[in-house]
Amino acid sequence: MENNKNGITVVVPVYNVKPYLERCVDSLLAQTAKNLEIILVDDGSTDGSGDICDRYAGREGRIRVHHKENGGLTSAWKAGVELAGGAYVGFVDSDDWVDPDMYERMGELARREDADLVVCGLVFDFEDPKIPRREEISNFKREVYDRKALEELFPVLINDGYFFGRTLQPARVTKLFRRELLLDNMKYCQNEVALGEDMQITFPVLLDTRKLCVIPGFYPYHYWINAKSITGKYDGAYMEKVRLLSGRLDAISREKGVYDFGPQIRNDFLSMTVLAVKNEIYRNYRAGRKAVTANVAAVCESPDVREALEHHTMDKLSFSIRIYLWLMRKGHYNLCYWLVLVFFKVNYYLGREYKRQ
């Protein structure tokens, strides 16, 4: 849109989300922000989602549609950014929705402060009404950070000593980005990364950011978790996905060269490895205890995990996490197995497992 050069573009990757797509797009059309452009990127949908996109574009001038071959989530949002006409870019995943004032508030703050990045929070909304909603936002303590203040966060940006202690909540959907920073940093985003892929863009963008603004207590983004998401399925490649993401973060840290994030990345890797162990046990328990504990042993005894277990610098861990890491380090895999099945199962139904990574 030629008249949107000072406005906001919202990029929506779309892939086989027919039951949820209209809810998502309608929430964007209800935005109170002016000069809002919506780009729907159909990533090779086969369920009719692409046709829904075309129908919206046919009757609503703010919407453009881009159809492409299936290439995954990262490839889809990257394609949308290339087409964006706005000075700022936001993202909404097509099974989620947003409150009407999300982009008005974020856009006004971005323009008033000439910010490179604006951050809000999100709400986890569960299809199962028995699971309570939960709010999440980045762990920033101030509302405005100039470059000096941002650099003071670097020692705790990826890990602050707690388990999964990310000061930066990496979800791209809770951010409004200056478009130029996205374009400059998309080279770091590999389409093959399929776990925590948002970190590939939010991490390098923040390292280039001159001013960041936070809207505290503002949770306009609704992240939908349906019954299928809760029950999930076993992912035998989970640990390799963890390694791929950590490798990307290491590469970004080295290339940017603004701070040594190596120890924090190792801590984050170990936190994700714990989730990989839990994935192996909780989601694959039907394979039998012997098979599962053998797989857990293969994870825990690999050189990179051994190094992380021995040399991590997380000094603010809860007692339960300390015990669990000790069991992993000492090879008590049967105890790991039973603890996950008995105790961690509760966390799935309390919504504690759905932090974006």
Side-chain angles (χ1 to χ4, degrees):
M1 287 184 177
E2 291 297 326
N3 62 354
N4 193 51
K5 63 181 180 180
N6 295 317
I8 295 172
T9 298
V10 181
V11 174
V12 183
V14 176
Y15 180 70
N16 288 355
V17 286
K18 188 175 180 179
Y20 309 111
L21 183 56
E22 291 185 2
R23 178 181 64 184
C24 174
V25 179
D26 287 345
S27 77
L28 291 172
L29 291 175
Q31 290 295 297
T32 57
K34 308 298 183 185
N35 295 326
L36 187 74
E37 172 188 46
I38 303 163
I39 298 180
L40 306 178
V41 182
D42 171 30
D43 191 36
S45 296
T46 58
D47 70 342
S49 293
D51 294 334
I52 295 174
C53 292
D54 289 336
R55 287 200 296 273
Y56 271 104
R59 65 175 186 258
E60 176 56 61
R62 288 175 291 173
I63 294 179
R64 285 196 285 159
V65 179
H66 176 66
H67 298 281
K68 60 183 287 295
E69 292 184 2
N70 180 254
L73 178 61
T74 298
S75 74
W77 70 250
K78 284 163 62 177
V81 172
E82 294 283 359
L83 296 170
Y88 289 93
V89 176
F91 300 94
V92 175
D93 288 341
S94 49
D95 50 353
D96 301 334
W97 72 97
V98 296
D99 289 340
D101 61 343
M102 176 171 177
Y103 287 110
E104 180 180 14
R105 289 188 61 178
M106 295 183 80
E108 285 180 350
L109 181 58
R111 287 185 285 269
R112 183 173 72 244
E113 295 288 341
D114 192 26
D116 293 320
L117 190 61
V118 178
V119 179
C120 68
L122 61 79
V123 175
F124 293 89
D125 279 293
F126 293 83
E127 183 178 44
D128 186 343
K130 296 189 297 294
I131 303 177
R133 302 169 76 209
R134 183 171 60 80
E135 297 173 343
E136 181 176 298
I137 196 168
S138 291
N139 191 29
F140 296 122
K141 304 302 183 186
R142 299 167 56 174
E143 294 183 26
V144 178
Y145 289 83
D146 61 13
R147 181 63 188 183
K148 183 176 183 296
L150 280 173
E151 290 177 353
E152 291 172 355
L153 288 177
F154 286 176
V156 294
L157 189 66
I158 297 177
N159 185 268
D160 62 1
Y162 288 95
F163 181 73
F164 260 124
R166 291 171 170 172
T167 298
L168 172 66
Q169 190 252 38
R172 78 199 129 70
V173 296
T174 58
K175 317 285 188 297
L176 189 64
F177 300 84
R178 193 184 297 276
R179 180 173 177 264
E180 286 80 2
L181 284 184
L182 287 175
L183 292 172
D184 290 344
N185 286 284
M186 286 200 307
K187 62 185 178 182
Y188 296 113
C189 300
Q190 291 186 353
N191 296 345
E192 295 77 16
V193 175
L195 175 72
E197 57 267 35
D198 285 359
M199 195 70 150
Q200 293 185 103
I201 191 64
T202 52
F203 178 43
V205 163
L206 189 137
L207 298 186
D208 288 349
T209 292
R210 310 306 301 179
K211 181 180 277 191
L212 176 147
C213 294
V214 181
I215 307 179
F218 186 47
Y219 303 91
Y221 191 94
H222 296 263
Y223 178 40
W224 179 243
I225 300 176
N226 58 30
K228 184 177 180 181
S229 302
I230 293 171
T231 55
K233 66 178 181 179
Y234 171 61
D235 184 356
Y238 196 103
M239 193 62 210
E240 289 312 308
K241 293 177 181 178
V242 168
R243 291 189 170 99
L244 185 56
L245 175 62
S246 289
R248 294 305 306 141
L249 298 183
D250 267 324
I252 292 167
S253 176
R254 288 195 302 271
E255 186 165 336
K256 291 289 187 182
V258 297
Y259 186 81
D260 179 13
F261 290 96
Q264 293 181 65
I265 293 170
R266 179 179 57 204
N267 291 346
D268 195 67
F269 169 76
L270 183 57
S271 296
M272 289 190 291
T273 297
V274 172
L275 292 192
V277 169
K278 290 166 65 178
N279 166 75
E280 179 63 44
I281 296 170
Y282 183 77
R283 306 238 187 241
N284 195 33
Y285 69 93
R286 289 187 177 88
R289 181 180 54 82
K290 287 186 178 180
V292 169
T293 53
N295 290 342
V296 170
V299 169
C300 295
E301 294 170 11
S302 59
D304 51 357
V305 174
R306 296 305 305 174
E307 196 275 339
L309 284 167
E310 297 289 344
H311 301 293
H312 75 83
T313 58
M314 290 182 284
D315 58 354
K316 300 173 184 176
L317 298 175
S318 67
F319 178 73
S320 61
I321 291 295
R322 288 181 185 275
I323 290 295
Y324 205 79
L325 291 177
W326 183 84
L327 293 174
M328 290 170 59
R329 185 161 57 89
K330 293 297 185 180
H332 298 301
Y333 306 128
N334 282 313
L335 276 174
C336 289
Y337 176 87
W338 289 115
L339 281 174
V340 167
L341 287 187
V342 173
F343 294 105
F344 285 115
K345 182 176 181 180
V346 175
N347 290 337
Y348 282 81
Y349 293 99
L350 292 179
R352 296 173 183 165
E353 198 64 24
Y354 293 96
K355 292 184 179 180
R356 286 178 177 263
Q357 291 143 28

